[in-house]
Amino acid sequence: MLTTRPGFPFAGLAARFGDSPDPVRRRPALRDPGLEPELLDRFTRDPETRSTAARDPRLPVARVRELLDDPDENTAAAAAANPALPPEDMRRILDRAGCRKSG
């Protein structure tokens, strides 16, 4: 519950909890501003943290694109909501879903 408080110090949580066997401890590590790219990538491959990690704007676009095709719908949706996703990918997603510009 402490992590929901404004001003909670997330710095250092990745080093402290990134390798924890407990997913409840690993999830706040994703909010560490110093999260290493290798650990972020590992979180995208962990079933307990994959969906949250798929939204992270620090994730390389190539990995976000891979996660768009994840069999888990929550992970694919999280990747589609990633702010790092380029507009052309967003348009492709809309086209595949049958959403076309009217008019």
Side-chain angles (χ1 to χ4, degrees):
M1 291 191 341
L2 284 175
T3 59
T4 61
R5 296 183 60 99
F8 182 85
F10 287 99
L13 289 184
R16 187 170 183 175
F17 298 119
D19 292 320
S20 174
D22 183 357
V24 172
R25 290 185 178 210
R26 286 194 309 271
R27 282 188 201 104
L30 282 160
R31 298 187 55 195
D32 184 337
L35 179 66
E36 295 289 328
E38 296 81 20
L39 183 54
L40 177 56
D41 182 71
R42 206 168 75 218
F43 282 151
T44 68
R45 298 170 197 287
D46 176 344
E48 299 292 335
T49 56
R50 183 181 7 253
S51 289
T52 304
R55 284 185 190 90
D56 196 304
R58 298 172 289 186
L59 201 58
V61 172
R63 183 65 182 135
V64 175
R65 287 177 175 146
E66 290 172 10
L67 292 168
L68 289 171
D69 295 323
D70 196 276
D72 175 41
E73 289 181 14
N74 291 327
T75 299
N82 189 309
L85 192 65
E88 60 269 13
D89 290 274
M90 294 177 203
R91 283 190 284 278
R92 248 189 313 274
I93 292 167
L94 291 171
D95 288 346
R96 266 191 286 177
C99 300
R100 301 192 190 276
K101 186 177 173 183
S102 60

Coordinates of all heavy atoms in Angstrom, one line a residue:
M1 N 0.8 -1.2 0.0 CA 0.0 0.0 0.0 C 0.9 1.3 0.0 O 0.4 2.3 -0.5 CB -0.9 0.0 1.2 CG -2.0 -1.1 1.1 SD -3.4 -1.1 2.2 CE -2.9 -0.1 3.6
L2 N 2.1 1.2 0.5 CA 2.9 2.4 0.5 C 3.2 2.9 -0.9 O 3.3 4.1 -1.1 CB 4.3 2.1 1.2 CG 4.3 2.0 2.7 CD1 5.6 1.5 3.2 CD2 3.9 3.3 3.3
T3 N 3.3 2.0 -1.9 CA 3.6 2.4 -3.2 C 2.5 3.3 -3.9 O 2.8 3.9 -4.9 CB 3.9 1.2 -4.1 OG1 2.8 0.4 -4.2 CG2 5.1 0.5 -3.7
T4 N 1.3 3.3 -3.3 CA 0.3 4.1 -3.9 C 0.3 5.6 -3.3 O -0.4 6.4 -3.8 CB -1.1 3.5 -3.5 OG1 -1.3 3.5 -2.1 CG2 -1.3 2.1 -4.1
R5 N 1.2 5.8 -2.4 CA 1.3 7.1 -1.8 C 2.0 8.1 -2.7 O 3.0 7.7 -3.3 CB 2.0 7.1 -0.4 CG 1.2 6.3 0.6 CD 1.9 6.3 1.9 NE 2.0 7.6 2.4 CZ 1.2 8.2 3.3 NH1 0.2 7.5 3.8 NH2 1.4 9.4 3.7
P6 N 1.6 9.3 -2.8 CA 2.3 10.3 -3.6 C 3.7 10.5 -3.1 O 3.9 10.5 -1.9 CB 1.5 11.6 -3.4 CG 0.2 11.2 -2.9 CD 0.4 9.9 -2.2
G7 N 4.7 10.6 -4.0 CA 6.0 10.8 -3.6 C 6.8 9.6 -3.1 O 7.9 9.7 -2.6
F8 N 6.2 8.4 -3.3 CA 6.8 7.2 -2.9 C 8.2 7.1 -3.7 O 8.2 7.3 -4.9 CB 6.0 5.9 -3.2 CG 6.6 4.7 -2.7 CD1 6.5 4.2 -1.4 CD2 7.4 3.9 -3.6 CE1 7.1 3.1 -0.9 CE2 8.0 2.7 -3.1 CZ 7.9 2.3 -1.8
P9 N 9.3 6.7 -3.0 CA 10.6 6.7 -3.7 C 10.8 5.3 -4.4 O 11.2 4.3 -3.8 CB 11.6 6.8 -2.5 CG 10.8 6.3 -1.3 CD 9.4 6.6 -1.5
F10 N 10.5 5.3 -5.7 CA 10.7 4.1 -6.5 C 12.1 3.8 -6.9 O 12.5 2.7 -7.2 CB 9.8 4.2 -7.7 CG 8.3 4.0 -7.4 CD1 7.5 5.1 -7.3 CD2 7.8 2.8 -7.2 CE1 6.2 5.0 -7.0 CE2 6.5 2.6 -6.9 CZ 5.6 3.7 -6.8
A11 N 13.0 4.9 -6.8 CA 14.4 4.7 -7.2 C 15.0 3.6 -6.4 O 14.9 3.6 -5.1 CB 15.1 6.0 -7.1
G12 N 15.7 2.7 -7.0 CA 16.4 1.6 -6.3 C 15.6 0.3 -6.2 O 16.1 -0.7 -5.8
L13 N 14.3 0.4 -6.5 CA 13.4 -0.8 -6.3 C 13.8 -1.9 -7.3 O 13.7 -3.1 -6.9 CB 12.0 -0.5 -6.4 CG 11.4 0.3 -5.3 CD1 9.9 0.5 -5.5 CD2 11.6 -0.4 -3.9
A14 N 14.3 -1.6 -8.5 CA 14.6 -2.6 -9.4 C 15.8 -3.4 -8.9 O 15.8 -4.7 -9.0 CB 15.0 -2.0 -10.8
A15 N 16.8 -2.8 -8.3 CA 18.0 -3.5 -7.8 C 17.5 -4.3 -6.6 O 18.0 -5.4 -6.4 CB 19.1 -2.5 -7.4
R16 N 16.6 -3.8 -5.8 CA 16.2 -4.5 -4.6 C 15.3 -5.6 -4.8 O 15.4 -6.7 -4.2 CB 15.6 -3.4 -3.7 CG 15.3 -4.0 -2.3 CD 14.8 -2.9 -1.4 NE 14.6 -3.4 -0.1 CZ 14.3 -2.7 1.0 NH1 14.2 -1.4 0.9 NH2 14.2 -3.2 2.1
F17 N 14.3 -5.5 -5.7 CA 13.3 -6.5 -5.9 C 13.2 -7.1 -7.3 O 12.3 -7.9 -7.6 CB 11.9 -5.9 -5.6 CG 11.8 -5.5 -4.1 CD1 11.5 -4.1 -3.8 CD2 11.9 -6.4 -3.1 CE1 11.4 -3.7 -2.5 CE2 11.8 -6.0 -1.8 CZ 11.6 -4.6 -1.5
G18 N 14.0 -6.7 -8.2 CA 13.9 -7.1 -9.6 C 14.0 -8.6 -9.8 O 13.4 -9.2 -10.7
D19 N 14.8 -9.3 -8.9 CA 15.0 -10.7 -9.0 C 14.2 -11.5 -7.9 O 14.4 -12.7 -7.7 CB 16.4 -11.1 -8.8 CG 17.3 -10.6 -10.0 OD1 16.8 -10.7 -11.1 OD2 18.4 -10.1 -9.7
S20 N 13.3 -10.8 -7.3 CA 12.5 -11.4 -6.2 C 11.6 -12.6 -6.8 O 11.0 -12.4 -7.9 CB 11.6 -10.4 -5.5 OG 10.7 -11.1 -4.6
P21 N 11.4 -13.7 -6.1 CA 10.5 -14.7 -6.6 C 9.1 -14.3 -6.4 O 8.2 -14.9 -7.0 CB 10.9 -15.9 -5.7 CG 11.5 -15.3 -4.5 CD 12.2 -14.1 -4.9
D22 N 8.8 -13.2 -5.7 CA 7.4 -12.8 -5.4 C 7.0 -11.7 -6.4 O 7.6 -10.6 -6.4 CB 7.4 -12.2 -4.0 CG 6.0 -11.8 -3.6 OD1 5.1 -11.8 -4.4 OD2 5.9 -11.3 -2.4
P23 N 6.0 -12.0 -7.3 CA 5.6 -11.0 -8.3 C 5.1 -9.7 -7.7 O 5.2 -8.7 -8.3 CB 4.5 -11.7 -9.1 CG 4.1 -12.9 -8.2 CD 5.2 -13.2 -7.3
V24 N 4.5 -9.8 -6.5 CA 4.1 -8.6 -5.8 C 5.2 -7.6 -5.5 O 5.1 -6.4 -5.6 CB 3.3 -8.9 -4.5 CG1 3.0 -7.7 -3.7 CG2 2.1 -9.7 -4.8
R25 N 6.4 -8.1 -5.3 CA 7.6 -7.3 -5.1 C 8.2 -6.9 -6.4 O 8.8 -5.8 -6.5 CB 8.6 -8.0 -4.2 CG 8.1 -8.2 -2.8 CD 9.2 -8.8 -2.0 NE 8.6 -8.9 -0.6 CZ 9.4 -8.8 0.5 NH1 10.7 -8.7 0.3 NH2 8.9 -8.9 1.6
R26 N 8.1 -7.7 -7.4 CA 8.7 -7.4 -8.7 C 8.0 -6.3 -9.4 O 8.6 -5.4 -10.1 CB 8.7 -8.6 -9.7 CG 9.8 -9.6 -9.3 CD 10.0 -10.7 -10.4 NE 8.8 -11.3 -10.9 CZ 8.2 -12.4 -10.5 NH1 8.8 -13.0 -9.4 NH2 7.2 -12.9 -11.0
R27 N 6.6 -6.2 -9.3 CA 5.9 -5.2 -10.0 C 6.3 -3.8 -9.7 O 6.4 -2.9 -10.6 CB 4.4 -5.4 -9.8 CG 3.8 -6.5 -10.6 CD 2.3 -6.6 -10.5 NE 1.9 -7.9 -10.9 CZ 1.5 -8.9 -10.1 NH1 1.4 -8.6 -8.8 NH2 1.2 -10.1 -10.5
P28 N 6.5 -3.4 -8.4 CA 6.9 -2.0 -8.2 C 8.3 -1.7 -8.8 O 8.6 -0.5 -9.0 CB 6.9 -1.9 -6.7 CG 6.0 -3.0 -6.2 CD 6.1 -4.1 -7.2
A29 N 9.1 -2.7 -9.0 CA 10.4 -2.5 -9.6 C 10.3 -1.9 -11.0 O 11.2 -1.2 -11.4 CB 11.2 -3.8 -9.6
L30 N 9.2 -2.1 -11.6 CA 8.9 -1.6 -13.0 C 8.8 0.0 -12.9 O 9.0 0.6 -13.9 CB 7.7 -2.1 -13.6 CG 7.8 -3.5 -14.1 CD1 6.4 -4.2 -14.3 CD2 8.5 -3.4 -15.5
R31 N 8.5 0.5 -11.8 CA 8.4 2.0 -11.7 C 9.7 2.7 -11.3 O 9.7 3.9 -11.2 CB 7.3 2.3 -10.7 CG 5.9 1.7 -11.2 CD 4.7 2.1 -10.4 NE 4.5 3.5 -10.3 CZ 3.7 4.0 -9.4 NH1 2.9 3.2 -8.6 NH2 3.5 5.3 -9.3
D32 N 10.7 1.9 -11.1 CA 12.0 2.5 -10.8 C 12.5 3.3 -12.0 O 12.7 2.7 -13.1 CB 13.0 1.4 -10.5 CG 14.4 1.8 -10.0 OD1 14.8 3.0 -10.4 OD2 15.1 1.1 -9.3
P33 N 12.8 4.6 -11.9 CA 13.3 5.3 -13.0 C 14.7 4.8 -13.5 O 15.0 5.1 -14.7 CB 13.4 6.8 -12.5 CG 13.4 6.7 -11.0 CD 12.7 5.4 -10.7
G34 N 15.4 4.1 -12.7 CA 16.7 3.6 -13.2 C 16.7 2.1 -13.6 O 17.7 1.5 -13.7
L35 N 15.5 1.6 -13.9 CA 15.3 0.3 -14.4 C 16.2 0.0 -15.6 O 16.1 0.7 -16.6 CB 13.8 0.0 -14.7 CG 13.5 -1.4 -15.2 CD1 13.7 -2.4 -14.1 CD2 12.0 -1.4 -15.6
E36 N 17.0 -1.0 -15.5 CA 17.9 -1.4 -16.6 C 17.1 -2.0 -17.7 O 16.2 -2.7 -17.5 CB 19.0 -2.4 -16.1 CG 19.9 -1.8 -15.0 CD 20.9 -0.8 -15.6 OE1 21.3 -0.9 -16.8 OE2 21.2 0.2 -14.9
P37 N 17.5 -1.7 -19.0 CA 16.8 -2.3 -20.1 C 16.7 -3.8 -20.1 O 15.7 -4.4 -20.5 CB 17.6 -1.7 -21.3 CG 18.4 -0.6 -20.8 CD 18.6 -0.8 -19.4
E38 N 17.8 -4.4 -19.7 CA 17.8 -5.9 -19.6 C 16.7 -6.4 -18.7 O 16.1 -7.4 -19.0 CB 19.2 -6.4 -19.2 CG 20.3 -6.1 -20.2 CD 20.8 -4.7 -20.0 OE1 20.6 -4.0 -18.9 OE2 21.4 -4.2 -21.0
L39 N 16.6 -5.8 -17.5 CA 15.6 -6.2 -16.6 C 14.2 -5.9 -17.1 O 13.3 -6.7 -17.0 CB 15.8 -5.6 -15.2 CG 14.8 -6.0 -14.1 CD1 14.8 -7.5 -13.9 CD2 15.2 -5.3 -12.8
L40 N 14.0 -4.8 -17.7 CA 12.7 -4.5 -18.4 C 12.3 -5.5 -19.4 O 11.2 -6.0 -19.4 CB 12.7 -3.1 -19.0 CG 11.5 -2.6 -19.7 CD1 10.2 -2.7 -18.8 CD2 11.7 -1.2 -20.3
D41 N 13.3 -5.9 -20.2 CA 13.1 -7.0 -21.2 C 12.7 -8.3 -20.5 O 11.8 -8.9 -21.0 CB 14.3 -7.2 -22.1 CG 14.0 -8.2 -23.2 OD1 13.3 -7.9 -24.1 OD2 14.6 -9.3 -23.1
R42 N 13.4 -8.6 -19.5 CA 13.1 -9.8 -18.7 C 11.6 -9.8 -18.2 O 10.9 -10.8 -18.2 CB 14.1 -10.0 -17.6 CG 14.2 -11.5 -17.3 CD 15.4 -11.8 -16.4 NE 15.2 -11.3 -15.1 CZ 16.1 -10.7 -14.3 NH1 17.3 -10.5 -14.7 NH2 15.8 -10.4 -13.1
F43 N 11.2 -8.6 -17.7 CA 9.9 -8.5 -17.2 C 8.8 -8.7 -18.3 O 7.7 -9.2 -18.0 CB 9.7 -7.1 -16.5 CG 10.2 -6.9 -15.1 CD1 10.7 -5.7 -14.7 CD2 10.3 -8.0 -14.3 CE1 11.2 -5.5 -13.4 CE2 10.8 -7.8 -13.0 CZ 11.3 -6.6 -12.6
T44 N 9.2 -8.4 -19.5 CA 8.2 -8.6 -20.6 C 8.1 -10.1 -20.9 O 7.1 -10.4 -21.6 CB 8.6 -7.8 -21.9 OG1 9.8 -8.4 -22.4 CG2 8.7 -6.4 -21.7
R45 N 8.9 -10.9 -20.4 CA 8.9 -12.3 -20.7 C 8.4 -13.1 -19.4 O 8.3 -14.3 -19.5 CB 10.3 -12.8 -21.1 CG 10.7 -12.1 -22.4 CD 12.2 -12.4 -22.7 NE 12.7 -11.4 -23.7 CZ 12.3 -11.4 -25.0 NH1 11.5 -12.3 -25.5 NH2 12.8 -10.5 -25.8
D46 N 8.1 -12.4 -18.4 CA 7.6 -13.0 -17.1 C 6.1 -12.9 -17.1 O 5.5 -11.8 -17.2 CB 8.2 -12.2 -16.0 CG 7.7 -12.6 -14.6 OD1 6.7 -13.3 -14.5 OD2 8.3 -12.2 -13.6
P47 N 5.4 -14.0 -17.0 CA 3.9 -14.0 -17.1 C 3.3 -13.1 -16.0 O 2.2 -12.6 -16.2 CB 3.5 -15.5 -16.9 CG 4.7 -16.3 -16.9 CD 5.9 -15.4 -16.9
E48 N 4.0 -12.9 -14.9 CA 3.4 -12.1 -13.8 C 3.6 -10.6 -14.0 O 2.9 -9.8 -13.4 CB 4.1 -12.5 -12.5 CG 3.8 -14.0 -12.1 CD 2.4 -14.3 -11.8 OE1 1.6 -13.3 -11.4 OE2 2.0 -15.4 -11.9
T49 N 4.5 -10.2 -14.9 CA 4.8 -8.8 -15.0 C 4.7 -8.3 -16.5 O 4.8 -7.1 -16.8 CB 6.2 -8.4 -14.5 OG1 7.2 -9.2 -15.2 CG2 6.3 -8.6 -13.0
R50 N 4.5 -9.3 -17.4 CA 4.5 -9.0 -18.8 C 3.5 -7.9 -19.3 O 3.9 -6.9 -20.0 CB 4.2 -10.3 -19.6 CG 4.2 -10.0 -21.1 CD 3.9 -11.2 -22.0 NE 3.4 -12.4 -21.4 CZ 4.2 -13.5 -21.3 NH1 5.4 -13.6 -21.7 NH2 3.6 -14.6 -20.7
S51 N 2.3 -7.9 -18.8 CA 1.3 -6.9 -19.2 C 1.7 -5.5 -18.8 O 1.6 -4.5 -19.5 CB -0.1 -7.2 -18.7 OG -0.6 -8.3 -19.4
T52 N 2.2 -5.4 -17.5 CA 2.6 -4.1 -17.0 C 3.8 -3.6 -17.8 O 3.9 -2.4 -18.2 CB 2.9 -4.1 -15.5 OG1 1.7 -4.6 -14.9 CG2 3.3 -2.8 -14.9
A53 N 4.8 -4.5 -18.0 CA 6.0 -4.1 -18.7 C 5.7 -3.7 -20.1 O 6.4 -2.8 -20.7 CB 7.0 -5.2 -18.6
A54 N 4.7 -4.3 -20.8 CA 4.4 -4.0 -22.2 C 4.0 -2.5 -22.4 O 4.1 -2.0 -23.5 CB 3.3 -4.9 -22.7
R55 N 3.5 -1.9 -21.3 CA 3.1 -0.5 -21.4 C 4.2 0.5 -21.2 O 4.1 1.7 -21.5 CB 2.1 -0.2 -20.3 CG 0.7 -0.7 -20.5 CD -0.2 -0.2 -19.3 NE -1.4 -0.9 -19.4 CZ -1.7 -2.0 -18.8 NH1 -0.8 -2.6 -18.0 NH2 -2.8 -2.6 -18.9
D56 N 5.4 0.0 -20.8 CA 6.5 0.9 -20.4 C 7.1 1.6 -21.6 O 7.5 1.0 -22.5 CB 7.6 0.1 -19.7 CG 8.5 1.0 -18.9 OD1 9.1 1.9 -19.6 OD2 8.7 0.8 -17.7
P57 N 7.1 3.0 -21.6 CA 7.6 3.7 -22.8 C 9.1 3.5 -23.0 O 9.6 3.9 -24.1 CB 7.2 5.1 -22.5 CG 7.0 5.2 -21.0 CD 6.5 3.8 -20.6
R58 N 9.8 3.0 -22.0 CA 11.2 2.8 -22.2 C 11.5 1.5 -23.0 O 12.7 1.2 -23.3 CB 11.9 2.7 -20.8 CG 11.8 3.9 -20.0 CD 12.3 3.7 -18.6 NE 11.3 2.9 -17.8 CZ 11.4 2.6 -16.5 NH1 12.4 3.1 -15.8 NH2 10.5 1.8 -15.9
L59 N 10.5 0.7 -23.2 CA 10.7 -0.5 -24.0 C 11.0 -0.2 -25.4 O 10.4 0.6 -26.0 CB 9.4 -1.3 -23.9 CG 9.4 -2.8 -24.1 CD1 10.3 -3.5 -23.1 CD2 8.0 -3.3 -23.9
P60 N 12.0 -0.9 -26.0 CA 12.3 -0.7 -27.4 C 11.1 -1.0 -28.3 O 10.3 -2.0 -28.0 CB 13.4 -1.7 -27.7 CG 14.0 -2.0 -26.4 CD 12.9 -1.9 -25.4
V61 N 10.9 -0.2 -29.3 CA 9.8 -0.4 -30.2 C 9.7 -1.8 -30.8 O 8.6 -2.4 -30.9 CB 9.8 0.7 -31.4 CG1 8.7 0.4 -32.4 CG2 9.6 2.1 -30.8
A62 N 10.8 -2.4 -31.1 CA 10.9 -3.7 -31.6 C 10.2 -4.7 -30.7 O 9.5 -5.6 -31.1 CB 12.3 -4.2 -32.0
R63 N 10.5 -4.6 -29.4 CA 9.9 -5.5 -28.4 C 8.4 -5.2 -28.2 O 7.6 -6.1 -28.1 CB 10.6 -5.4 -27.0 CG 10.1 -6.3 -26.0 CD 10.3 -7.8 -26.4 NE 9.8 -8.7 -25.4 CZ 9.1 -9.7 -25.6 NH1 8.9 -10.1 -26.8 NH2 8.6 -10.5 -24.6
V64 N 8.0 -3.9 -28.3 CA 6.6 -3.6 -28.2 C 5.8 -4.2 -29.4 O 4.8 -4.8 -29.2 CB 6.4 -2.0 -28.3 CG1 4.9 -1.7 -28.3 CG2 7.0 -1.4 -27.1
R65 N 6.4 -4.2 -30.6 CA 5.8 -4.8 -31.7 C 5.6 -6.3 -31.6 O 4.6 -6.9 -31.9 CB 6.6 -4.5 -33.0 CG 6.5 -3.1 -33.5 CD 7.3 -2.8 -34.6 NE 7.1 -1.4 -35.1 CZ 8.0 -0.7 -35.7 NH1 9.3 -1.1 -35.8 NH2 7.7 0.6 -36.1
E66 N 6.7 -7.0 -31.0 CA 6.5 -8.4 -30.7 C 5.4 -8.7 -29.7 O 4.6 -9.6 -29.9 CB 7.8 -8.9 -30.1 CG 9.0 -9.0 -31.0 CD 10.3 -9.3 -30.3 OE1 10.3 -9.7 -29.1 OE2 11.4 -9.2 -30.9
L67 N 5.2 -7.8 -28.7 CA 4.2 -8.0 -27.7 C 2.8 -7.8 -28.3 O 1.8 -8.2 -27.7 CB 4.5 -7.2 -26.5 CG 5.7 -7.6 -25.7 CD1 6.1 -6.5 -24.7 CD2 5.5 -8.9 -25.0
L68 N 2.7 -7.1 -29.4 CA 1.4 -6.9 -30.0 C 0.8 -8.2 -30.4 O -0.4 -8.3 -30.5 CB 1.5 -5.9 -31.2 CG 1.8 -4.5 -31.0 CD1 2.1 -3.8 -32.3 CD2 0.6 -3.8 -30.2
D69 N 1.6 -9.2 -30.7 CA 1.2 -10.5 -31.1 C 1.2 -11.5 -30.0 O 1.0 -12.7 -30.3 CB 2.0 -11.0 -32.3 CG 1.9 -10.1 -33.5 OD1 0.8 -9.7 -33.8 OD2 2.9 -9.9 -34.2
D70 N 1.3 -11.0 -28.8 CA 1.3 -12.0 -27.6 C -0.1 -12.7 -27.6 O -1.1 -12.1 -27.8 CB 1.5 -11.2 -26.3 CG 1.9 -12.1 -25.2 OD1 1.0 -12.6 -24.5 OD2 3.1 -12.2 -25.0
P71 N 0.0 -14.0 -27.3 CA -1.3 -14.7 -27.2 C -2.2 -14.2 -26.0 O -3.4 -14.4 -26.1 CB -0.9 -16.2 -26.9 CG 0.6 -16.2 -26.9 CD 1.1 -14.8 -27.1
D72 N -1.6 -13.6 -25.0 CA -2.4 -13.1 -23.9 C -3.0 -11.7 -24.4 O -2.2 -10.8 -24.7 CB -1.5 -12.9 -22.7 CG -2.3 -12.2 -21.5 OD1 -3.5 -12.5 -21.3 OD2 -1.7 -11.4 -20.9
E73 N -4.3 -11.6 -24.5 CA -4.9 -10.4 -24.9 C -4.6 -9.2 -24.1 O -4.5 -8.1 -24.6 CB -6.5 -10.6 -25.0 CG -6.9 -11.5 -26.1 CD -8.4 -11.7 -26.1 OE1 -9.1 -10.9 -25.5 OE2 -8.9 -12.6 -26.8
N74 N -4.4 -9.4 -22.8 CA -4.1 -8.2 -21.9 C -2.7 -7.7 -22.2 O -2.5 -6.5 -22.2 CB -4.2 -8.7 -20.4 CG -5.6 -8.9 -20.0 OD1 -6.5 -8.3 -20.4 ND2 -5.7 -9.9 -19.1
T75 N -1.8 -8.6 -22.5 CA -0.4 -8.1 -22.9 C -0.5 -7.4 -24.2 O 0.1 -6.4 -24.4 CB 0.5 -9.3 -22.9 OG1 0.6 -9.9 -21.6 CG2 1.9 -8.9 -23.3
A76 N -1.2 -8.0 -25.2 CA -1.2 -7.4 -26.5 C -1.9 -6.0 -26.4 O -1.4 -5.0 -27.1 CB -2.0 -8.3 -27.5
A77 N -2.9 -5.9 -25.6 CA -3.6 -4.6 -25.5 C -2.7 -3.6 -24.8 O -2.7 -2.4 -25.1 CB -4.9 -4.8 -24.7
A78 N -1.9 -4.1 -23.8 CA -1.0 -3.2 -23.1 C 0.1 -2.7 -24.1 O 0.4 -1.5 -24.0 CB -0.4 -3.9 -21.9
A79 N 0.6 -3.5 -24.9 CA 1.5 -3.1 -25.9 C 1.0 -2.1 -26.9 O 1.6 -1.1 -27.3 CB 2.1 -4.3 -26.7
A80 N -0.3 -2.3 -27.3 CA -1.0 -1.4 -28.2 C -1.1 0.0 -27.5 O -1.2 1.0 -28.2 CB -2.3 -1.9 -28.6
A81 N -1.2 0.1 -26.2 CA -1.3 1.3 -25.5 C 0.0 1.9 -25.1 O 0.0 3.0 -24.5 CB -2.1 1.1 -24.2
N82 N 1.1 1.3 -25.5 CA 2.4 1.8 -25.2 C 2.7 3.2 -25.9 O 2.5 3.2 -27.1 CB 3.5 0.8 -25.5 CG 4.9 1.2 -25.0 OD1 5.3 2.3 -25.2 ND2 5.5 0.3 -24.4
P83 N 3.0 4.2 -25.2 CA 3.2 5.5 -25.8 C 4.4 5.6 -26.8 O 4.4 6.5 -27.6 CB 3.5 6.5 -24.6 CG 3.5 5.7 -23.4 CD 3.2 4.3 -23.7
A84 N 5.2 4.6 -26.8 CA 6.4 4.6 -27.7 C 6.0 4.0 -29.0 O 6.8 4.0 -30.0 CB 7.5 3.7 -27.1
L85 N 4.8 3.4 -29.1 CA 4.3 2.8 -30.4 C 4.2 3.9 -31.5 O 3.4 4.8 -31.3 CB 3.0 2.0 -30.2 CG 2.6 1.1 -31.3 CD1 3.5 0.0 -31.5 CD2 1.2 0.6 -31.0
P86 N 4.9 3.7 -32.6 CA 4.7 4.7 -33.7 C 3.3 4.8 -34.3 O 2.6 3.8 -34.3 CB 5.8 4.3 -34.7 CG 6.7 3.3 -34.0 CD 5.8 2.7 -32.9
P87 N 3.0 6.0 -34.8 CA 1.6 6.2 -35.3 C 1.3 5.2 -36.5 O 0.2 4.7 -36.6 CB 1.6 7.6 -35.9 CG 2.7 8.3 -35.0 CD 3.7 7.2 -34.7
E88 N 2.3 4.8 -37.3 CA 2.0 3.9 -38.4 C 1.6 2.5 -37.9 O 0.8 1.8 -38.5 CB 3.2 3.8 -39.4 CG 4.5 3.3 -38.8 CD 5.4 4.4 -38.3 OE1 5.0 5.5 -38.1 OE2 6.6 4.0 -38.0
D89 N 2.2 2.1 -36.7 CA 1.7 0.9 -36.1 C 0.3 1.0 -35.6 O -0.5 0.0 -35.7 CB 2.7 0.5 -35.0 CG 4.0 0.1 -35.5 OD1 4.2 -1.1 -35.8 OD2 4.9 0.9 -35.5
M90 N 0.0 2.1 -35.0 CA -1.4 2.3 -34.5 C -2.4 2.2 -35.6 O -3.4 1.6 -35.5 CB -1.5 3.7 -33.8 CG -0.7 3.8 -32.6 SD -0.8 5.5 -31.9 CE 0.7 5.6 -31.0
R91 N -2.0 2.9 -36.8 CA -2.9 2.8 -37.9 C -3.1 1.4 -38.4 O -4.2 0.9 -38.8 CB -2.4 3.7 -39.1 CG -2.6 5.2 -38.8 CD -2.3 6.0 -40.1 NE -0.9 6.2 -40.3 CZ -0.2 7.1 -39.6 NH1 -0.7 7.9 -38.8 NH2 1.1 7.2 -39.9
R92 N -2.0 0.6 -38.4 CA -2.1 -0.8 -38.8 C -3.0 -1.6 -37.9 O -3.8 -2.4 -38.4 CB -0.7 -1.5 -38.8 CG -0.2 -1.8 -40.2 CD 1.0 -2.6 -40.2 NE 2.1 -2.1 -39.3 CZ 3.0 -1.2 -39.7 NH1 3.0 -0.7 -40.9 NH2 3.9 -0.9 -38.8
I93 N -3.0 -1.3 -36.6 CA -3.8 -2.0 -35.6 C -5.3 -1.7 -35.9 O -6.2 -2.5 -35.9 CB -3.4 -1.6 -34.2 CG1 -2.1 -2.2 -33.9 CG2 -4.5 -2.1 -33.2 CD1 -1.5 -1.6 -32.6
L94 N -5.6 -0.4 -36.2 CA -6.9 0.0 -36.5 C -7.4 -0.6 -37.8 O -8.6 -1.0 -37.8 CB -7.0 1.6 -36.5 CG -6.8 2.3 -35.2 CD1 -6.7 3.8 -35.4 CD2 -7.9 1.9 -34.2
D95 N -6.6 -0.6 -38.8 CA -7.0 -1.2 -40.0 C -7.3 -2.7 -39.9 O -8.3 -3.2 -40.4 CB -5.9 -1.1 -41.1 CG -5.7 0.3 -41.6 OD1 -6.6 1.2 -41.3 OD2 -4.7 0.7 -42.2
R96 N -6.5 -3.4 -39.1 CA -6.7 -4.9 -38.9 C -8.0 -5.1 -38.1 O -8.7 -6.1 -38.3 CB -5.6 -5.5 -38.0 CG -4.5 -6.1 -38.9 CD -3.6 -6.9 -38.1 NE -2.8 -6.0 -37.3 CZ -1.9 -6.3 -36.4 NH1 -1.7 -7.6 -36.1 NH2 -1.1 -5.4 -35.8
A97 N -8.4 -4.1 -37.3 CA -9.6 -4.2 -36.5 C -10.8 -3.8 -37.3 O -12.0 -3.9 -36.8 CB -9.5 -3.4 -35.2
G98 N -10.6 -3.3 -38.5 CA -11.7 -2.9 -39.4 C -12.2 -1.5 -39.1 O -13.3 -1.1 -39.5
C99 N -11.4 -0.7 -38.4 CA -11.8 0.7 -38.1 C -11.2 1.5 -39.2 O -10.0 1.7 -39.3 CB -11.2 1.1 -36.7 SG -11.7 0.1 -35.3
R100 N -12.1 2.0 -40.0 CA -11.6 2.9 -41.1 C -12.2 4.3 -40.9 O -13.2 4.5 -40.3 CB -12.1 2.3 -42.4 CG -11.6 0.9 -42.6 CD -11.9 0.4 -44.0 NE -11.6 -1.0 -44.2 CZ -10.4 -1.5 -44.4 NH1 -9.4 -0.7 -44.5 NH2 -10.3 -2.8 -44.5
K101 N -11.5 5.2 -41.5 CA -11.9 6.6 -41.4 C -13.2 6.7 -42.3 O -13.2 6.3 -43.4 CB -10.8 7.5 -42.0 CG -11.1 8.9 -41.9 CD -9.9 9.7 -42.4 CE -10.2 11.2 -42.4 NZ -9.1 11.9 -43.0
S102 N -14.2 7.3 -41.7 CA -15.4 7.5 -42.5 C -15.4 8.9 -43.2 O -14.7 9.8 -42.8 CB -16.6 7.5 -41.6 OG -16.6 8.5 -40.6
G103 N -16.1 8.9 -44.3 CA -16.2 10.2 -44.9 C -15.7 10.2 -46.3 O -15.2 10.0 -47.2

